[in-house]
Amino acid sequence: MTTATLNRDAKSTFFSDKRGTGLMRALVFHGPNNIAVERVPIPRAGYGEVVMQVTLTTICGTDVHILKGEYPVRSGLVIGHEAVGVIHEIGPGVTGYQVGERVLVGAITPCGQCNACLGGEWSQCGGPIGGWKFGNTINGAQAEYLLVPSAQANLARIPDELTDEQVVLLADIASTGFSASESADVQLGDSVAVFAQGPIGLCATAGAHLKGAALVIGVESDLARMAMAKRMGADVVLSPKEGDVVAEIKKLTGGRGVDVAIEALGTQATFENALKVLRPGGTLSSLGVYSGKLSVPLEPFAAGLGDIKIVTTLCPGGKERMRRLIELVQHGRVDLRPLLTHTFLLDNITEAYELFTSRRDGVLKVAIRP
Ligand SMILES: [Zn+2]
Ligand SMILES: [Zn+2]
Protein backbone atom coordinates (compact mmCIF):
# COMPACT_ATOMS: atom_id res chain seq x y z
CA MET A 1 0.00 0.00 0.00
CA THR A 2 2.66 2.53 -0.89
CA THR A 3 0.86 4.25 -3.74
CA ALA A 4 -0.58 7.56 -2.66
CA THR A 5 -3.15 10.06 -3.72
CA LEU A 6 -1.86 13.51 -4.51
CA ASN A 7 -1.10 15.59 -1.49
CA ARG A 8 -2.85 18.97 -1.41
CA ASP A 9 0.15 20.68 0.07
CA ALA A 10 2.16 21.55 -3.02
CA LYS A 11 5.20 22.39 -0.92
CA SER A 12 5.38 18.92 0.51
CA THR A 13 7.76 16.49 -1.14
CA PHE A 14 5.41 13.58 -1.00
CA PHE A 15 7.78 10.94 -2.21
CA SER A 16 11.28 11.68 -1.18
CA ASP A 17 12.16 8.06 -1.88
CA LYS A 18 11.56 8.63 -5.59
CA ARG A 19 14.42 6.40 -6.61
CA GLY A 20 12.99 3.55 -4.58
CA THR A 21 16.11 2.99 -2.55
CA GLY A 22 14.10 1.93 0.50
CA LEU A 23 16.23 4.33 2.52
CA MET A 24 15.41 7.57 4.29
CA ARG A 25 17.33 10.27 6.10
CA ALA A 26 17.04 10.24 9.89
CA LEU A 27 18.82 11.65 12.92
CA VAL A 28 20.57 8.75 14.66
CA PHE A 29 21.84 8.83 18.25
CA HIS A 30 25.16 7.05 18.73
CA GLY A 31 25.98 8.06 22.29
CA PRO A 32 26.37 11.27 24.30
CA ASN A 33 27.12 14.25 22.04
CA ASN A 34 27.20 11.96 19.03
CA ILE A 35 24.30 12.37 16.61
CA ALA A 36 24.27 12.38 12.82
CA VAL A 37 21.85 12.47 9.89
CA GLU A 38 22.19 9.11 8.18
CA ARG A 39 20.42 6.90 5.67
CA VAL A 40 18.45 4.15 7.34
CA PRO A 41 15.74 1.80 6.06
CA ILE A 42 12.25 3.25 5.64
CA PRO A 43 10.06 1.39 8.17
CA ARG A 44 7.31 -0.93 6.96
CA ALA A 45 3.90 -1.04 8.62
CA GLY A 46 3.19 -4.23 10.53
CA TYR A 47 -0.06 -5.22 12.21
CA GLY A 48 -1.78 -2.23 13.80
CA GLU A 49 0.91 0.12 12.56
CA VAL A 50 1.05 3.02 10.12
CA VAL A 51 4.05 4.59 8.43
CA MET A 52 3.71 8.34 8.07
CA GLN A 53 5.84 10.58 5.96
CA VAL A 54 6.94 13.35 8.29
CA THR A 55 6.29 16.83 6.93
CA LEU A 56 7.24 18.79 10.05
CA THR A 57 8.91 17.92 13.32
CA THR A 58 10.75 19.77 16.08
CA ILE A 59 13.33 19.37 18.84
CA CYS A 60 12.30 19.01 22.49
CA GLY A 61 14.28 19.79 25.63
CA THR A 62 14.09 16.06 26.34
CA ASP A 63 16.03 15.39 23.12
CA VAL A 64 18.76 17.66 24.46
CA HIS A 65 18.86 15.60 27.69
CA ILE A 66 19.27 12.51 25.49
CA LEU A 67 22.00 14.16 23.44
CA LYS A 68 23.92 15.11 26.59
CA GLY A 69 23.63 11.57 27.93
CA GLU A 70 21.40 12.68 30.82
CA TYR A 71 18.56 10.42 29.70
CA PRO A 72 19.84 7.11 28.37
CA VAL A 73 18.52 5.62 25.14
CA ARG A 74 20.11 2.89 23.03
CA SER A 75 22.75 3.68 20.46
CA GLY A 76 21.41 3.54 16.90
CA LEU A 77 18.02 4.96 17.84
CA VAL A 78 16.34 7.62 15.70
CA ILE A 79 15.31 10.34 18.16
CA GLY A 80 12.52 12.93 18.26
CA HIS A 81 8.91 12.53 19.34
CA GLU A 82 6.82 15.26 17.71
CA ALA A 83 5.47 14.73 14.20
CA VAL A 84 3.01 16.02 11.66
CA GLY A 85 2.82 14.12 8.41
CA VAL A 86 0.97 12.26 5.71
CA ILE A 87 -0.07 8.62 5.88
CA HIS A 88 2.29 6.65 3.67
CA GLU A 89 1.50 3.01 4.45
CA ILE A 90 -1.27 1.39 6.48
CA GLY A 91 -0.66 -1.94 8.14
CA PRO A 92 -3.30 -4.68 8.55
CA GLY A 93 -5.75 -4.15 11.38
CA VAL A 94 -5.89 -0.36 11.02
CA THR A 95 -9.25 0.86 9.71
CA GLY A 96 -10.80 4.20 8.82
CA TYR A 97 -7.65 5.88 7.53
CA GLN A 98 -6.40 6.44 4.01
CA VAL A 99 -2.99 6.81 2.44
CA GLY A 100 -2.34 10.51 1.79
CA GLU A 101 -4.33 11.83 4.77
CA ARG A 102 -2.62 14.48 6.90
CA VAL A 103 -2.27 13.40 10.51
CA LEU A 104 -0.85 14.50 13.84
CA VAL A 105 0.52 11.95 16.27
CA GLY A 106 1.17 12.75 19.92
CA ALA A 107 4.58 12.38 21.53
CA ILE A 108 2.95 9.81 23.79
CA THR A 109 1.43 6.87 21.93
CA PRO A 110 -0.72 4.79 24.29
CA CYS A 111 -1.81 1.37 23.08
CA GLY A 112 -5.36 1.97 24.29
CA GLN A 113 -5.69 -1.66 25.41
CA CYS A 114 -3.47 -2.35 28.43
CA ASN A 115 -4.56 -2.05 32.04
CA ALA A 116 -2.92 1.34 32.48
CA CYS A 117 -4.62 2.71 29.35
CA LEU A 118 -8.01 1.26 30.28
CA GLY A 119 -7.56 2.73 33.75
CA GLY A 120 -7.16 6.15 32.14
CA GLU A 121 -3.40 6.40 32.71
CA TRP A 122 -2.55 6.68 29.01
CA SER A 123 0.92 8.10 29.49
CA GLN A 124 1.88 5.22 31.78
CA CYS A 125 0.84 2.67 29.09
CA GLY A 126 2.38 -0.73 29.79
CA GLY A 127 4.45 0.52 32.75
CA PRO A 128 6.18 3.60 34.18
CA ILE A 129 6.48 6.37 31.51
CA GLY A 130 5.62 3.56 29.06
CA GLY A 131 3.46 5.77 26.84
CA TRP A 132 6.56 7.62 25.67
CA LYS A 133 7.87 5.40 22.90
CA PHE A 134 9.07 7.61 20.00
CA GLY A 135 12.75 8.39 20.30
CA ASN A 136 12.85 6.57 23.63
CA THR A 137 12.13 2.88 23.13
CA ILE A 138 11.35 2.89 19.38
CA ASN A 139 12.59 4.98 16.44
CA GLY A 140 11.43 8.58 16.53
CA ALA A 141 10.25 11.49 14.44
CA GLN A 142 13.38 13.35 13.34
CA ALA A 143 13.31 11.43 10.09
CA GLU A 144 11.57 11.36 6.73
CA TYR A 145 9.30 8.51 7.81
CA LEU A 146 7.92 7.44 11.17
CA LEU A 147 6.45 4.08 12.17
CA VAL A 148 3.44 4.75 14.39
CA PRO A 149 2.55 1.93 16.80
CA SER A 150 -1.07 1.35 17.86
CA ALA A 151 -2.00 3.67 15.00
CA GLN A 152 -5.74 3.20 15.52
CA ALA A 153 -5.42 4.89 18.92
CA ASN A 154 -2.96 7.55 17.91
CA LEU A 155 -3.56 9.19 14.53
CA ALA A 156 -5.58 12.41 14.59
CA ARG A 157 -6.67 13.91 11.26
CA ILE A 158 -5.65 17.50 10.56
CA PRO A 159 -8.37 19.72 9.07
CA ASP A 160 -7.48 21.04 5.61
CA GLU A 161 -7.42 24.66 6.69
CA LEU A 162 -4.72 24.15 9.32
CA THR A 163 -1.02 24.24 8.46
CA ASP A 164 1.63 21.93 9.86
CA GLU A 165 3.06 24.86 11.83
CA GLN A 166 -0.27 25.45 13.57
CA VAL A 167 -0.46 21.93 14.96
CA VAL A 168 3.05 20.51 15.36
CA LEU A 169 3.49 21.82 18.91
CA LEU A 170 0.29 20.12 20.04
CA ALA A 171 2.10 16.77 19.96
CA ASP A 172 4.11 17.50 23.06
CA ILE A 173 4.68 20.91 24.62
CA ALA A 174 1.11 22.18 24.28
CA SER A 175 -0.38 18.92 25.51
CA THR A 176 2.05 18.95 28.43
CA GLY A 177 1.79 22.67 29.16
CA PHE A 178 -2.02 22.74 29.10
CA SER A 179 -2.19 19.61 31.25
CA ALA A 180 -0.69 21.47 34.21
CA SER A 181 -3.89 23.46 34.71
CA GLU A 182 -6.09 20.47 33.88
CA SER A 183 -4.34 18.25 36.45
CA ALA A 184 -4.60 21.06 39.03
CA ASP A 185 -8.30 21.44 38.19
CA VAL A 186 -8.00 25.20 37.74
CA GLN A 187 -11.33 26.88 38.47
CA LEU A 188 -12.85 30.00 36.91
CA GLY A 189 -11.35 33.00 38.66
CA ASP A 190 -8.32 31.18 40.05
CA SER A 191 -4.93 32.80 40.33
CA VAL A 192 -2.11 30.80 38.76
CA ALA A 193 1.65 31.38 38.87
CA VAL A 194 3.82 29.67 36.25
CA PHE A 195 7.48 29.29 37.15
CA ALA A 196 9.73 29.49 34.06
CA GLN A 197 8.58 30.56 30.61
CA GLY A 198 10.47 28.18 28.37
CA PRO A 199 8.43 26.42 25.65
CA ILE A 200 6.52 24.25 28.17
CA GLY A 201 6.04 27.09 30.66
CA LEU A 202 4.70 29.32 27.89
CA CYS A 203 2.18 26.63 26.98
CA ALA A 204 1.31 26.27 30.68
CA THR A 205 0.64 30.00 30.74
CA ALA A 206 -1.63 29.67 27.70
CA GLY A 207 -3.32 26.67 29.36
CA ALA A 208 -4.05 28.55 32.60
CA HIS A 209 -5.63 31.31 30.54
CA LEU A 210 -7.68 28.75 28.56
CA LYS A 211 -8.89 27.07 31.76
CA GLY A 212 -10.34 30.34 33.03
CA ALA A 213 -7.79 31.63 35.50
CA ALA A 214 -8.48 35.27 36.35
CA LEU A 215 -4.86 36.11 37.09
CA VAL A 216 -1.95 34.40 35.38
CA ILE A 217 1.50 35.34 36.69
CA GLY A 218 4.55 34.29 34.71
CA VAL A 219 7.98 34.06 36.34
CA GLU A 220 10.96 34.42 34.01
CA SER A 221 14.10 36.53 33.69
CA ASP A 222 14.84 36.24 29.95
CA LEU A 223 13.46 39.36 28.25
CA ALA A 224 12.28 37.65 25.04
CA ARG A 225 10.54 34.95 27.04
CA MET A 226 8.98 37.55 29.35
CA ALA A 227 7.49 39.28 26.31
CA MET A 228 6.25 36.00 24.86
CA ALA A 229 4.62 35.10 28.20
CA LYS A 230 2.43 38.20 27.87
CA ARG A 231 1.54 37.17 24.34
CA MET A 232 0.57 33.69 25.54
CA GLY A 233 -1.79 35.02 28.20
CA ALA A 234 0.17 36.11 31.26
CA ASP A 235 -1.30 39.17 32.97
CA VAL A 236 1.90 39.91 34.85
CA VAL A 237 5.44 38.63 34.32
CA LEU A 238 7.90 38.85 37.21
CA SER A 239 11.65 38.56 36.87
CA PRO A 240 13.56 36.83 39.69
CA LYS A 241 16.46 39.12 38.77
CA GLU A 242 14.47 42.18 39.72
CA GLY A 243 13.11 41.29 43.12
CA ASP A 244 11.58 38.75 45.45
CA VAL A 245 9.03 36.97 43.26
CA VAL A 246 7.51 35.11 46.21
CA ALA A 247 6.76 38.38 48.05
CA GLU A 248 5.53 39.96 44.83
CA ILE A 249 3.13 37.10 44.09
CA LYS A 250 1.77 37.23 47.63
CA LYS A 251 1.19 40.95 47.16
CA LEU A 252 -0.56 40.42 43.82
CA THR A 253 -2.97 37.98 45.48
CA GLY A 254 -3.79 40.20 48.44
CA GLY A 255 -1.59 38.15 50.73
CA ARG A 256 -3.49 34.90 50.07
CA GLY A 257 -1.14 33.18 47.72
CA VAL A 258 -2.11 31.62 44.40
CA ASP A 259 -4.61 28.80 43.99
CA VAL A 260 -2.29 26.95 41.65
CA ALA A 261 1.48 27.18 41.12
CA ILE A 262 2.93 25.47 38.05
CA GLU A 263 6.55 24.36 38.08
CA ALA A 264 7.88 24.20 34.51
CA LEU A 265 11.64 23.99 34.90
CA GLY A 266 12.58 21.06 37.13
CA THR A 267 14.82 22.65 39.77
CA GLN A 268 14.77 22.64 43.57
CA ALA A 269 14.60 26.46 43.66
CA THR A 270 11.54 26.77 41.40
CA PHE A 271 9.82 23.84 43.12
CA GLU A 272 10.32 25.55 46.50
CA ASN A 273 9.14 28.91 45.22
CA ALA A 274 6.06 27.26 43.74
CA LEU A 275 5.28 25.82 47.19
CA LYS A 276 5.92 29.15 48.91
CA VAL A 277 3.44 31.11 46.78
CA LEU A 278 0.53 28.68 47.28
CA ARG A 279 -2.47 29.53 49.40
CA PRO A 280 -3.34 26.95 52.08
CA GLY A 281 -5.02 24.07 50.28
CA GLY A 282 -3.54 25.15 46.95
CA THR A 283 -2.13 22.88 44.26
CA LEU A 284 1.43 22.65 43.05
CA SER A 285 1.27 21.29 39.50
CA SER A 286 4.68 20.02 38.50
CA LEU A 287 5.77 19.63 34.88
CA GLY A 288 9.53 19.88 35.32
CA VAL A 289 11.88 16.93 34.96
CA TYR A 290 14.09 16.84 38.05
CA SER A 291 17.48 15.29 38.45
CA GLY A 292 19.32 14.32 41.60
CA LYS A 293 17.24 14.78 44.71
CA LEU A 294 14.13 16.88 45.24
CA SER A 295 13.26 17.83 48.80
CA VAL A 296 10.17 19.43 50.27
CA PRO A 297 10.85 22.37 52.63
CA LEU A 298 8.71 22.04 55.71
CA GLU A 299 7.60 25.60 56.30
CA PRO A 300 5.71 26.25 53.02
CA PHE A 301 4.46 22.65 53.24
CA ALA A 302 3.03 23.58 56.68
CA ALA A 303 4.86 20.55 58.07
CA GLY A 304 2.44 18.38 56.15
CA LEU A 305 -0.70 20.03 57.53
CA GLY A 306 -1.39 22.61 54.82
CA ASP A 307 -3.77 20.54 52.69
CA ILE A 308 -1.35 21.19 49.85
CA LYS A 309 -1.74 19.03 46.76
CA ILE A 310 1.24 18.19 44.57
CA VAL A 311 0.37 16.72 41.18
CA THR A 312 2.62 15.68 38.31
CA THR A 313 1.71 15.06 34.69
CA LEU A 314 3.46 13.41 31.76
CA CYS A 315 2.31 14.70 28.37
CA PRO A 316 -1.16 13.30 27.59
CA GLY A 317 -1.29 11.59 24.18
CA GLY A 318 -3.63 9.53 22.00
CA LYS A 319 -5.83 10.59 19.11
CA GLU A 320 -8.69 11.94 21.21
CA ARG A 321 -6.31 14.23 23.11
CA MET A 322 -4.83 15.41 19.80
CA ARG A 323 -8.30 15.94 18.32
CA ARG A 324 -9.29 18.17 21.23
CA LEU A 325 -6.11 20.21 20.99
CA ILE A 326 -6.60 20.60 17.22
CA GLU A 327 -10.11 21.93 17.94
CA LEU A 328 -8.62 24.65 20.14
CA VAL A 329 -6.40 25.78 17.26
CA GLN A 330 -9.09 25.40 14.61
CA HIS A 331 -11.50 27.61 16.54
CA GLY A 332 -8.91 30.25 17.31
CA ARG A 333 -8.60 29.66 21.05
CA VAL A 334 -4.83 29.36 20.89
CA ASP A 335 -2.09 30.15 18.37
CA LEU A 336 1.24 28.48 19.00
CA ARG A 337 3.01 29.65 15.85
CA PRO A 338 4.88 32.47 17.62
CA LEU A 339 6.78 29.79 19.55
CA LEU A 340 8.28 28.42 16.32
CA THR A 341 11.10 30.93 16.07
CA HIS A 342 13.42 29.16 13.60
CA THR A 343 13.17 26.66 10.73
CA PHE A 344 15.81 24.16 9.56
CA LEU A 345 15.97 21.36 7.04
CA LEU A 346 16.46 17.86 8.46
CA ASP A 347 19.88 17.80 6.79
CA ASN A 348 20.91 20.72 9.03
CA ILE A 349 19.29 19.44 12.21
CA THR A 350 22.57 19.27 14.13
CA GLU A 351 22.83 23.07 13.67
CA ALA A 352 19.28 23.32 14.97
CA TYR A 353 20.28 21.31 18.08
CA GLU A 354 23.22 23.64 18.61
CA LEU A 355 20.99 26.72 18.40
CA PHE A 356 18.23 25.21 20.55
CA THR A 357 20.71 24.14 23.24
CA SER A 358 22.51 27.49 23.26
CA ARG A 359 19.22 29.46 23.55
CA ARG A 360 20.77 32.07 21.25
CA ASP A 361 18.81 34.45 19.02
CA GLY A 362 15.63 34.29 21.12
CA VAL A 363 15.09 30.67 20.09
CA LEU A 364 12.05 28.96 21.60
CA LYS A 365 11.20 26.05 19.28
CA VAL A 366 12.75 25.08 15.96
CA ALA A 367 10.69 23.70 13.10
CA ILE A 368 12.45 20.89 11.22
CA ARG A 369 11.40 20.09 7.64
CA PRO A 370 12.39 16.70 6.31
ZN1 LIG B 1 9.26 16.36 24.44
ZN1 LIG C 1 -1.51 0.85 26.95
Side-chain angles (χ1 to χ4, degrees):
M1 295 246 302
T2 47
T3 49
T5 52
L6 239 167
N7 181 22
R8 273 169 311 85
D9 181 1
K11 278 173 287 181
S12 164
T13 51
F14 193 60
F15 281 115
S16 55
D17 186 39
K18 283 190 189 99
R19 274 163 270 140
T21 58
L23 296 176
M24 66 170 183
R25 287 167 300 126
L27 184 73
V28 181
F29 173 83
H30 288 293
N33 299 309
N34 185 358
I35 50 172
V37 176
E38 294 173 7
R39 290 198 181 270
V40 301
I42 295 174
R44 298 301 309 265
Y47 192 88
E49 297 170 338
V50 155
V51 175
M52 63 191 265
Q53 191 202 354
V54 179
T55 52
L56 198 67
T57 181
T58 177
I59 299 173
C60 176
T62 309
D63 299 323
V64 175
H65 288 299
I66 291 173
L67 177 61
K68 289 180 177 171
E70 293 163 357
Y71 183 91
V73 299
R74 67 176 164 81
S75 176
L77 190 77
V78 176
I79 57 177
H81 49 262
E82 298 146 287
V84 177
V86 176
I87 295 181
H88 172 73
E89 184 189 13
I90 300 173
V94 181
T95 59
Y97 293 97
Q98 286 178 359
V99 168
E101 277 184 314
R102 291 173 68 223
V103 285
L104 169 69
V105 61
I108 300 294
T109 48
C111 74
Q113 299 188 7
C114 72
N115 291 72
C117 283
L118 293 172
E121 302 295 341
W122 312 98
S123 302
Q124 311 301 322
C125 170
I129 324 178
W132 175 32
K133 296 165 190 171
F134 288 141
N136 180 24
T137 54
I138 63 173
N139 279 338
Q142 289 162 8
E144 287 182 274
Y145 295 87
L146 175 67
L147 182 69
V148 180
S150 309
Q152 196 74 45
N154 285 294
L155 293 179
R157 273 184 206 83
I158 302 170
D160 289 347
E161 64 265 37
L162 298 185
T163 64
D164 290 355
E165 284 78 5
Q166 282 177 287
V167 297
V168 68
L169 299 181
L170 302 177
D172 186 5
I173 62 163
S175 188
T176 303
F178 297 173
S179 75
S181 286
E182 295 172 279
S183 295
D185 199 15
V186 166
Q187 302 291 306
L188 292 180
D190 269 356
S191 51
V192 178
V194 185
F195 285 83
Q197 297 291 310
I200 298 230
L202 287 164
C203 288
T205 293
H209 188 71
L210 281 167
K211 279 284 280 172
L215 174 64
V216 182
I217 305 165
V219 180
E220 174 61 56
S221 59
D222 178 276
L223 289 176
R225 292 177 179 206
M226 288 175 81
M228 189 61 77
K230 284 261 172 87
R231 201 164 162 186
M232 299 307 283
D235 300 286
V236 186
V237 187
L238 303 172
S239 170
K241 283 187 186 158
E242 278 162 32
D244 180 349
V245 294
V246 172
E248 199 58 37
I249 290 171
K250 283 276 171 72
K251 204 190 292 176
L252 285 167
T253 52
R256 281 173 77 239
V258 291
D259 299 292
V260 172
I262 297 171
E263 201 288 340
L265 191 62
T267 68
Q268 179 72 37
T270 43
F271 181 85
E272 281 191 24
N273 281 343
L275 261 186
K276 286 176 186 166
V277 300
L278 279 181
R279 67 162 167 82
T283 301
L284 192 167
S285 187
S286 174
L287 297 177
V289 181
Y290 305 89
S291 53
K293 197 170 171 185
L294 182 66
S295 57
V296 177
L298 290 182
E299 200 216 323
F301 195 54
L305 305 174
D307 291 336
I308 297 290
K309 290 172 281 297
I310 299 176
V311 297
T312 70
T313 321
L314 173 60
C315 177
K319 69 180 177 185
E320 171 61 3
R321 174 67 171 177
M322 293 301 117
R323 183 194 68 77
R324 287 170 174 270
L325 298 183
I326 288 171
E327 295 273 346
L328 288 174
V329 172
Q330 190 176 9
H331 298 292
R333 294 295 189 272
V334 68
D335 182 2
L336 302 166
R337 284 173 296 184
L339 302 185
L340 284 173
T341 52
H342 297 74
T343 302
F344 288 83
L345 291 172
L346 179 64
D347 286 333
N348 304 325
I349 192 172
T350 53
E351 284 169 42
Y353 265 90
E354 200 272 315
L355 175 71
F356 185 68
T357 307
S358 73
R359 296 192 182 174
R360 274 187 287 110
D361 303 338
V363 64
L364 285 168
K365 289 289 278 187
V366 290
I368 307 291
R369 283 206 172 278

